[in-house]
Amino acid sequence: MDTLMKDEVFKAFTTYAAIVVLKMLLMGPMTAYHRITKGAFANEEDVARHSADQKKKQLRTDPAVERVRRCHQNDLESVVPFVLMGLLYTLTGPELSSALLHFRVFTGSRIFHTISYVCTLPQPCRGLSWIVGMVATLSMSYRVLSTVLLP
């Protein structure tokens, strides 16, 4: 592990992977915040201490809660493949500048995707940010496969 942490590409990868994973983890508390402030809960046990009338009002969906949940779901669909592919990509021995470009573009796209999703920016903001992140991950995938399949 000590040898890996001396590799500049791997250090860059761990930095940007940690940033996007942390961003993804923060979506859980953001969902909880919206649930509490909007009084919109999904499970009976979440409102067990309330009166029957309150339970009916609070066992519901809310657009703000659902928006954050969808953003979190999108993170799971994008960040996990980035982390896995990024790790394989670092093993192909890419140039530091190329690796930094991939990692920074993906990280920036995910941060902007979250901002555009949660703040309801007009399309194509969210769509373009998703595409940019996907292209970065696909580019790393191409490098991994071409390194393995084309000796």
Side-chain angles (χ1 to χ4, degrees):
M1 187 66 152
D2 189 43
T3 307
L4 271 178
M5 291 312 286
K6 290 179 182 169
D7 179 8
E8 292 298 317
V9 171
F10 188 75
K11 282 176 26 180
F13 168 69
T14 57
T15 299
Y16 289 100
I19 290 169
V20 294
V21 168
L22 180 61
K23 188 213 78 60
M24 183 175 68
L25 286 172
L26 291 175
M27 297 305 292
M30 187 183 293
T31 303
Y33 168 79
H34 282 284
R35 283 198 183 284
I36 292 166
T37 59
K38 305 291 184 179
F41 298 95
N43 303 302
E44 289 269 344
E45 63 271 17
D46 297 337
V47 294
R49 293 183 290 167
H50 297 276
S51 68
D53 206 31
Q54 277 293 95
K55 285 181 185 179
K56 287 179 185 177
K57 291 179 184 175
Q58 292 187 331
L59 282 175
R60 64 183 178 86
T61 60
D62 180 83
V65 173
E66 293 306 309
R67 179 168 285 278
V68 174
R69 288 183 68 240
R70 287 190 305 271
C71 184
H72 193 183
Q73 178 66 39
N74 193 277
D75 273 349
L76 290 169
E77 295 167 0
S78 297
V79 172
V80 172
F82 165 78
V83 170
L84 294 173
M85 197 52 62
L87 180 58
L88 296 175
Y89 175 74
T90 62
L91 299 174
T92 66
E95 292 292 324
L96 178 60
S97 59
S98 176
L100 283 172
L101 179 66
H102 283 91
F103 304 155
R104 288 174 178 168
V105 164
F106 182 84
T107 301
S109 76
R110 291 315 302 173
I111 290 169
F112 186 72
H113 181 271
T114 298
I115 291 168
S116 64
Y117 215 139
V118 173
C119 297
T120 319
L121 297 181
Q123 282 288 30
C125 294
R126 189 178 79 242
L128 288 175
S129 62
W130 178 83
I131 289 170
V132 167
M134 183 60 70
V135 167
T137 303
L138 290 173
S139 176
M140 291 188 302
S141 302
Y142 175 77
R143 165 71 186 239
V144 169
L145 289 174
S146 65
T147 300
V148 171
L149 298 175
L150 305 173

